Structures are given as C-alpha cells and as structure tokens.
C-alpha cells in the first residue's frame, strides 16, 4: 500500500489583484472577473524566479514543516510544463539545489491540470511495488511566463505555485485505485505552439504562437463530456457509492466549470471543494493546494481527486483516511 503522508505548498510573493488587471484593461472590471471565473487574486513569480526555484522552496518547506530527513527521500518526481530548460530535467536541478542524496532518482513529467493525479499514480506504484520507500511529488508551474501581456483572459485565470507531496509506506491517506485517460486530438486546444523543436520561438513579440493558447469553449465541452463518466468509473473501481465520498476535490479550473460539473454529477455542495479565490488556476498545483487546505477545514474520510485538461488528459483517484 502507498499513502499520502504530507503536503506542503509554496505561493510566490507577487500578488496580482483584479483591480490591477482592471486598471490595465478598463473594459474588464474587477467585479466582472470575480463573477466570471471566481478569482480575486493570483500570485506570479518574479522575472528572475523560475520553476526550479519555487519547486525547491516547496520541497524545503515540506522538509521543515514535517521534520523530514532529506537522505530518506529516494525518488523525486517534478510535474511541470514550464521547465527551466529542455534538458536537463528540472528534477535534476531540484535534487542538487535542495541537497537531496545522489542516490535519489529524479525525473520530470510534462503534464498539466491532470498532472497531480498522474504523478500520484507513478509515485504510489513505486511505493506499492516496494521499489522505493519515500517519493516526493512536486508540482511546479510558472504559466505566467507563457502568457502574452495583452491576454487579459489568461492573465486573470492563471497563477503560479508549487507543492510538494510525500508518498510513503505509511501515512494518513491510503491511495486507492486510479482511472486515467487521454485524447490527443484535443492537443491543439491548449497549447504553446512555438518554442520547442517542431516550431522555434520567433522574435516577434506579437506572434501569439509564442504564448499560451486556450480554446475555452472546446475545453469546457471536453470536460463536460469526459468527467461525469470518469467519476462514475472510478467510484465503481474503488467499490464506492457517490454518497460514500465526503469530499470531492476537482482541478480548480474556474468556478463556472466547477459549478457546472458539480450539478451535472449531482454532488452535494457541502461535499464539493472550491478553493481558488486567492490562488487562481495553478494548473497541476490546484488539487494539492485545495487538499492541503481541506485537511485543516474539513473532517476528511473518503476523498476523490479529479484532474482534467491539457492533452486532453484526465484522471481520478480515491483516498481513504486511515
């Protein structure tokens, strides 16, 4: 068996409020932003602060908060779509900067809004197979660096953040069975087209292909079709009825989408977590941030985590409080 033992979070210090965004885009009023996407503030990294930096800060916070011996961490997974470099893996930089043992494995996974679920599936498999004892899964994203300065929608939606989760042979939350899926036909609807090997980044600051492109209606359509069935499948796989789950934590995409999914799946509002007001959509970090906060605010017993987005990709897992 594998367990989520501890979670720590790191939120960058620069706050971007709705009022600041509204000052830049007068037709995009602060109250309208809050009403449309359910976000009041979001945090972004500084110009000289990168994914490895916030990943190390989240990892060090985990170590300090829970008095973890770094030498006992034997595998590191970093989930990011904004790596410091094409190569080496950001996880290798984090291993060195955080002072982890050279006997610690370190890999990146390029995954977005379902990345926490995918990362948990890999970490729990390593522990469950007794290949590793203590795996740290880091989610670290600096999407703000992918966004064009005039893209008011994505500026309003996304925030930067990092989290660190210790998956171990013991802990408070047993990791149960996973359901995952992929439909690469949707890749074009959430993409940065330029900058890698296929399409080089251009020198034109107005070339929108150098920046994050999101087709919101297509993403919403995919999510509304895929996620109700995913929830049903994962409940059945784990032998649960919907009423057995006291806390559903979905990827915090935006409040409109979350409310729509909750109603479509018929989840009671008191069992459904919405926690993005002062973080924004932090991509792979939304679920662990909301989960960490729920530990202090709720009586958790049976939890379902659900991720979905870029790829297209989706995943769900149930957890049981020990």
């Amino acid at each position: 068996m594998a367990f989520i033992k501890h979670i720590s979070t790191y939120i960058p210090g620069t706050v971007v409020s709705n009022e600041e965004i509204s000052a830049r885009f007068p037709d995009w009023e602060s109250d309208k932003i809050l009403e449309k996407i359910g976000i009041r503030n979001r945090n972004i990294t500084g110009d000289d602060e990168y994914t490895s930096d916030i990943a190390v800060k989240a990892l060090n916070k985990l170590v300090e908060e829970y008095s973890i011996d770094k030498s006992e961490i034997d595998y590191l997974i970093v989930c990011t779509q904004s790596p410091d470099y094409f190569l080496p893996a950001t996880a290798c930089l984090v291993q060195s900067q955080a002072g982890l043992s050279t006997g610690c494995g370190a890999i990146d996974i390029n995954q977005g809004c379902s990345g926490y679920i995918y990362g948990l599936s890999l970490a729990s498999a390593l522990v469950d197979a007794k290949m590793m004892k203590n795996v740290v899964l880091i989610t670290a994203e600096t999407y703000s660096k992918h966004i064009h300065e005039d893209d008011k929608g994505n500026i309003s939606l996304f925030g930067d953040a990092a989290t660190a989760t210790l998956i171990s042979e013991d802990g408070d939350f047993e990791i149960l069975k996973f359901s995952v899926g992929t439909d690469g036909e949707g890749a074009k609807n959430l993409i940065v087209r330029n900058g890698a090997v296929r399409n080089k980044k251009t020198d034109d600051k107005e070339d929108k292909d150098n920046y994050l492109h999101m087709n919101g209606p297509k993403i919403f359509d995919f999510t509304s079709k895929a996620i109700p069935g995913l929830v049903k499948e994962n409940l059945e796989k784990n032998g649960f009825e919907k009423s057995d789950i006291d806390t559903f934590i979905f990827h915090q995409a935006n409040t409109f989408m979350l409310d729509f999914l909750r109603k479509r799946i018929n989840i009671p509002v008191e069992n459904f977590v919405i926690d993005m007001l002062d973080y924004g959509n932090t991509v792979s970090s939304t679920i662990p941030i909301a989960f960490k906060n729920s530990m202090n605010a709720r009586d958790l017993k049976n939890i379902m985590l659900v991720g979905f987005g870029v790829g297209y990709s989706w995943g769900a897992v149930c957890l049981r409080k020990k």
Side-chain angles (χ1 to χ4, degrees), residues 95-106:
Q95 175 274 329
S96 175
Q97 292 170 24
L100 300 185
S101 164
T102 55
C104 175

Side-chain angles (χ1 to χ4, degrees), residues 19-71:
E19 288 73 22
E20 290 175 76
I21 295 172
S22 183
R24 290 176 58 191
F25 306 98
D27 62 326
W28 193 216
E29 296 176 0
S30 59
D31 289 345
K32 188 176 180 181
I33 299 171
L34 183 60
E35 179 187 347
K36 288 279 188 182
I37 58 177
I39 299 168
R40 179 172 58 196
N41 297 298
R42 69 288 296 147
N43 295 63
I44 63 170
T45 47
D47 291 340
D48 59 350
E49 187 177 28
Y50 299 97
T51 296
S52 66
D53 299 318
I54 64 173
V56 169
K57 288 172 182 175
L59 176 55
N60 284 338
K61 193 172 176 185
L62 180 77
V63 168
E64 292 162 9
E65 280 187 328
Y66 300 104
S67 301
I68 295 167
D69 183 346
K70 286 184 178 180
S71 68

Side-chain angles (χ1 to χ4, degrees), residues 227-286:
I227 302 312
L230 171 68
V231 170
K232 183 174 185 292
E233 175 195 336
N234 194 249
L235 286 171
E236 291 174 352
K237 184 178 283 190
N238 285 290
F240 286 135
E241 298 291 335
K242 189 164 51 183
S243 58
D244 295 325
I245 304 296
D246 57 85
T247 305
F248 290 84
I249 304 175
F250 284 30
H251 163 56
Q252 304 290 293
N254 62 71
T255 53
F256 179 80
M257 182 179 288
L258 290 171
D259 281 333
F260 176 88
L261 290 172
R262 183 189 65 77
K263 291 171 183 175
R264 172 162 284 197
I265 302 169
N266 196 26
I267 299 172
V269 66
E270 63 270 17
N271 295 345
F272 193 79
V273 173
I274 295 182
D275 186 10
M276 61 187 303
L277 181 66
D278 288 311
Y279 306 105
N281 180 337
T282 56
V283 198
S284 56
S285 292
T286 69

Side-chain angles (χ1 to χ4, degrees), residues 61-302:
K61 193 172 176 185
L62 180 77
V63 168
E64 292 162 9
E65 280 187 328
Y66 300 104
S67 301
I68 295 167
D69 183 346
K70 286 184 178 180
S71 68
E72 294 183 358
I73 299 171
D74 45 23
Y75 211 89
L76 176 67
I77 301 171
V78 173
C79 176
T80 186
Q81 294 190 312
S82 48
D84 285 27
Y85 306 105
F86 285 133
L87 58 105
T90 301
C92 295
L93 306 179
V94 174
Q95 175 274 329
S96 175
Q97 292 170 24
L100 300 185
S101 164
T102 55
C104 175
I107 63 166
D108 284 2
I109 60 171
N110 180 332
Q111 192 55 279
C113 304
S114 60
Y116 190 67
I117 307 298
Y118 276 66
L120 276 182
S121 72
L122 300 176
S124 64
L126 287 168
V127 172
D128 199 37
K130 300 193 180 303
M131 295 177 64
M132 303 294 163
K133 292 183 178 180
N134 296 295
V135 179
V136 171
L137 167 62
I138 291 177
T139 62
E141 211 61 80
T142 55
Y143 255 40
S144 63
K145 301 184 191 304
H146 284 320
I147 299 172
H148 191 276
E149 61 184 10
D150 293 331
D151 186 351
K152 66 181 181 183
N154 284 329
I155 287 172
S156 302
L157 182 61
F158 290 104
D160 299 338
T163 72
T165 302
L166 178 62
I167 297 94
S168 190
E169 297 174 308
D170 62 84
D172 288 337
F173 298 95
E174 181 184 357
I175 302 170
L176 303 179
K177 296 178 181 178
F178 290 84
S179 301
V180 294
T182 309
D183 181 4
E185 288 294 318
K188 61 185 177 294
N189 293 319
L190 189 47
I191 189 170
V192 180
R193 296 185 185 279
N194 294 349
V197 176
R198 181 179 290 273
N199 301 311
K200 302 297 184 184
K201 189 171 184 178
T202 67
D203 294 329
D204 183 2
K205 286 189 68 176
E206 298 309 311
D207 186 348
K208 295 299 177 67
D209 286 346
N210 290 333
Y211 303 94
L212 180 69
H213 164 75
M214 181 170 65
N215 186 328
K218 289 287 188 182
I219 299 292
F220 182 87
D221 185 55
F222 140 70
T223 303
S224 64
K225 292 176 180 175
I227 302 312
L230 171 68
V231 170
K232 183 174 185 292
E233 175 195 336
N234 194 249
L235 286 171
E236 291 174 352
K237 184 178 283 190
N238 285 290
F240 286 135
E241 298 291 335
K242 189 164 51 183
S243 58
D244 295 325
I245 304 296
D246 57 85
T247 305
F248 290 84
I249 304 175
F250 284 30
H251 163 56
Q252 304 290 293
N254 62 71
T255 53
F256 179 80
M257 182 179 288
L258 290 171
D259 281 333
F260 176 88
L261 290 172
R262 183 189 65 77
K263 291 171 183 175
R264 172 162 284 197
I265 302 169
N266 196 26
I267 299 172
V269 66
E270 63 270 17
N271 295 345
F272 193 79
V273 173
I274 295 182
D275 186 10
M276 61 187 303
L277 181 66
D278 288 311
Y279 306 105
N281 180 337
T282 56
V283 198
S284 56
S285 292
T286 69
I287 293 174
I289 288 172
F291 187 19
K292 167 81 170 181
N293 291 342
S294 294
M295 290 178 187
N296 300 322
R298 291 170 172 263
D299 181 20
L300 302 176
K301 293 177 183 175
N302 295 325

